Amino acid sequence: MNENNDVFTKEEREEARRDEMRELLMNAFDGTSLLYEIYKKRGWLDKILTDKILSMDKDALYLSSQVADICETHDYVIKNKRRELLEYINPTQMGEGNSKIYKHNYISVFKLKMIHGLTGEGSEFTLPQLKEIIYGNITKSTTEQKQDAGNDMMFQMMKKMEQFDKFYDMVQSGEFFNEIDKRAQESARRLMLEGTKDDEVKEKVLEIYEKIISPDTDLTEKETFLALFNDLENEYPGQAYTIKMYKNASEDRINRFRQDEREMYIRKVKETISDLLDDYESAKSENERNLIRDKLQKIGRDNPDLSFEIRYWFSTIGKEKKKKGFFGRIFS
């Protein structure tokens, strides 16, 4: 063991671990995963075999926030896409109810990486289209009738295929990807044209979506508009997936807006604390200083979730002024 450490540098050992993860992922997905073959056929493997992916620990279980970092996206994006393809991603579930959490091994993380790269704004597929590629039919409702044989053909064929050479021949001939492209186009066509009410639904969901992404609506208004999608799902059950697609996109935008609003609020609190410390420094009487202390204490009471940050900002901002005694009086 020590001998090997002397022979190989740290960089060489890390490269060996990345090579091992690359081999594990290729063994698990190459020739068996529809999504992997899309990346492979189009020369996109470098988009999913990133340094962060190859640096995963094969024995580790990752939380959603860690998965988001590995996949280079936001936590809420991972949660939304996992919810839509939970059976395929197959994370480890721990706890129940509100305390339920999901943990992901390297296989589940890599599936999420592939899903994220193929869906989202500006991507080639929507989540419903990807579900059809994976499962073979666009809906998974228990109230659905028997699956159409044509919709089910691709997935069932891959699922039951016993010999890899058959699958390889399909890839080489282009039949496999022709079928995928055909299915994606058919899925898109059905999402846009299904039933006589599609145009009416599209107009309504676009109107709601535009109000949600508008800078002229506040967070409360956006959340009110979001609830309208539930009414549309009840009114137009046949167009549920079209409505769901816009609803998920709207939830993503609201989450981003909420995060931006929160960051702006935190920045404002920090600036207020800085200004009050400057006022304290220039105060000419004990009465003025007491008023400033009251204001700072009120900020702490009004923002209990920022208690640690407020203490940290205070100690950082006031470090040069050496206000440790003052700090203790305010937050004790």
Side-chain angles (χ1 to χ4, degrees):
M1 186 78 165
N2 292 334
E3 219 174 285
N4 287 336
N5 287 336
D6 291 338
V7 172
F8 298 106
T9 65
K10 178 182 178 182
E11 290 76 14
E12 289 172 331
R13 290 196 297 273
E14 290 176 351
E15 184 62 30
R17 283 195 293 271
R18 284 194 290 269
D19 288 342
E20 180 187 14
M21 179 54 64
R22 185 190 303 272
E23 185 175 354
L24 286 171
L25 293 172
M26 291 180 68
N27 289 339
F29 291 93
D30 194 5
T32 62
S33 167
L34 299 177
L35 303 190
Y36 185 89
E37 294 303 325
I38 292 175
Y39 282 98
K40 181 179 177 182
K41 179 71 174 179
R42 300 182 183 181
W44 294 348
L45 289 181
D46 59 320
K47 294 182 179 181
I48 50 175
L49 294 173
T50 61
D51 283 341
K52 288 191 175 184
I53 285 291
L54 296 179
S55 297
M56 288 190 294
D57 184 342
K58 62 183 177 65
D59 299 316
L61 289 176
Y62 296 97
L63 295 171
S64 299
S65 58
Q66 295 171 309
V67 175
D69 179 62
I70 294 171
C71 294
E72 299 175 274
T73 185
H74 299 289
D75 191 1
Y76 65 84
V77 174
I78 292 298
K79 291 178 180 178
N80 287 342
K81 295 184 178 180
R82 181 182 62 211
R83 181 178 63 243
E84 292 297 320
L85 290 162
L86 184 62
E87 181 182 349
Y88 171 68
I89 295 165
N90 193 28
T92 299
Q93 179 179 320
M94 297 183 176
E96 296 181 355
N98 294 332
S99 62
K100 179 171 63 179
I101 62 171
Y102 292 100
K103 291 191 176 183
H104 313 72
N105 62 14
Y106 71 94
I107 293 290
S108 296
V109 176
F110 192 65
K111 287 179 179 179
L112 279 162
K113 179 67 174 178
M114 292 192 293
I115 291 167
H116 179 60
L118 292 174
T119 57
E121 192 172 342
S123 299
E124 187 167 356
F125 300 98
T126 64
L127 273 174
Q129 290 169 351
L130 212 61
K131 288 174 76 172
E132 181 168 0
I133 291 173
I134 293 170
Y135 295 123
N137 61 305
I138 197 165
T139 61
K140 296 293 288 180
S141 171
T142 55
T143 61
E144 279 292 311
Q145 309 213 347
K146 289 184 178 180
Q147 298 174 355
D148 181 90
N151 283 341
D152 191 53
M153 179 188 68
M154 192 65 183
F155 179 65
Q156 292 299 325
M157 179 175 61
M158 288 299 302
K159 198 174 180 184
K160 297 178 180 178
M161 190 177 292
E162 297 179 355
Q163 298 180 352
F164 173 72
D165 56 351
K166 292 182 182 180
F167 172 71
Y168 182 76
D169 289 342
M170 287 180 64
V171 173
Q172 289 296 100
S173 67
E175 179 185 351
F176 173 77
F177 288 100
N178 288 339
E179 185 66 22
I180 285 182
D181 290 338
K182 178 182 176 182
R183 291 192 163 282
Q185 292 172 13
E186 176 64 17
S187 175
R189 186 189 69 79
R190 278 186 291 171
L191 285 171
M192 298 300 296
L193 302 176
E194 183 185 7
T196 58
K197 297 183 178 180
D198 277 4
D199 290 341
E200 181 181 346
V201 170
K202 183 180 177 183
E203 182 179 346
K204 290 184 177 182
V205 295
L206 280 174
E207 182 181 357
I208 296 172
Y209 182 72
E210 287 172 359
K211 289 179 179 177
I212 288 174
I213 66 174
S214 171
D216 298 326
T217 56
D218 60 27
L219 182 58
T220 301
E221 292 173 321
K222 293 179 192 295
E223 290 175 337
T224 300
F225 290 131
L226 182 66
L228 296 178
F229 284 115
N230 296 330
D231 297 335
L232 287 180
E233 286 179 317
N234 293 330
E235 186 178 353
Y236 302 97
Q239 286 74 32
Y241 276 92
T242 301
I243 298 168
K244 186 72 172 177
M245 181 175 64
Y246 281 95
K247 181 180 178 181
N248 288 341
S250 298
E251 287 175 342
D252 287 347
R253 296 300 289 265
I254 288 175
N255 284 332
R256 271 186 274 170
F257 182 84
R258 186 181 289 112
Q259 287 181 341
D260 291 343
E261 194 173 69
R262 179 67 172 168
E263 290 173 2
M264 288 177 62
Y265 176 75
I266 291 174
R267 188 160 55 246
K268 183 178 179 181
V269 170
K270 185 177 180 180
E271 290 172 354
T272 301
I273 290 174
S274 179
D275 291 342
L276 287 172
L277 286 175
D278 288 340
D279 292 343
Y280 185 89
E281 186 72 14
S282 60
K284 297 180 179 180
S285 69
E286 187 62 25
N287 184 50
E288 289 181 20
R289 286 189 284 271
N290 286 335
L291 289 174
I292 294 169
R293 275 197 286 267
D294 290 341
K295 291 179 181 179
L296 287 168
Q297 288 174 334
K298 186 176 185 304
I299 291 174
R301 289 193 302 270
D302 292 345
N303 300 276
D305 55 324
L306 294 177
S307 175
F308 174 81
E309 287 82 356
I310 291 173
R311 291 171 178 269
Y312 174 75
W313 297 333
F314 190 91
S315 63
T316 303
I317 296 169
K319 189 174 182 181
E320 295 180 359
K321 302 173 184 179
K322 299 181 179 179
K323 295 295 180 185
K324 291 184 179 178
F326 171 51
F327 175 81
R329 290 195 298 275
I330 291 177
F331 295 104
S332 59

